[in-house]
Amino acid sequence: MTRRKIKRLLALLKAKVEYPDRKIKIKLPTGFKKSFEEQSAFRGWINYHVTWDVDPKDPWMVISLKRSKVAEWHRELIKVVPVITPDGEIVEAEEWAKRSASTN
């Protein structure tokens, strides 16, 4: 199984826990879930990309994260996504960062 396929299944398992009211159908290979759940760094499906991920060299091995991939993604988005101010003005992310820095 490719790394991409493994990570997709892991993301779907997280989504199933995160959105229990949605019907997410996943066809998993026998023992797939258990192979991750039994590893010491596994911290629950809801924490995939938050406290754990898979090793870059071995997608079957769970590793602990020092920084949440979710938080890293949000930090990157803040740098590039325009902001709508309370007045309804659309401001580029860089300009908003400058304005915010000058008010602190």
Side-chain angles (χ1 to χ4, degrees):
M1 185 178 296
T2 66
R3 175 180 177 77
R4 184 177 181 157
K5 177 72 173 171
I6 292 168
K7 291 195 57 87
R8 175 171 163 59
L9 292 175
L10 295 174
L12 287 170
L13 287 167
K14 176 182 178 160
K16 237 181 134 154
V17 173
E18 198 168 18
Y19 306 105
D21 56 324
R22 296 184 187 172
K23 293 189 180 194
I24 300 172
K25 294 183 180 181
I26 310 170
K27 188 173 182 178
L28 296 173
T30 304
F32 183 86
K33 274 180 72 173
K34 191 174 182 179
S35 71
F36 290 95
E37 293 171 342
E38 291 182 341
Q39 295 184 49
S40 62
F42 178 82
R43 296 289 182 262
W45 294 109
I46 197 72
N47 289 315
Y48 175 59
H49 278 175
V50 178
T51 61
W52 68 274
D53 197 359
V54 294
D55 187 286
K57 295 176 184 167
D58 181 1
W60 292 100
M61 180 182 282
V62 174
I63 59 168
S64 295
L65 293 175
K66 291 181 178 148
R67 291 192 180 130
S68 163
K69 290 194 181 274
V70 173
E72 286 179 17
W73 176 246
H74 287 183
R75 278 193 291 279
E76 291 302 311
L77 285 178
I78 287 170
K79 294 177 189 176
V80 296
V81 174
V83 175
I84 301 174
T85 68
D87 299 332
E89 177 186 9
I90 298 174
V91 180
E92 292 299 320
E94 189 175 315
E95 176 62 26
W96 181 253
K98 288 178 189 174
R99 288 186 192 182
S100 297
S102 67
T103 60
N104 290 332

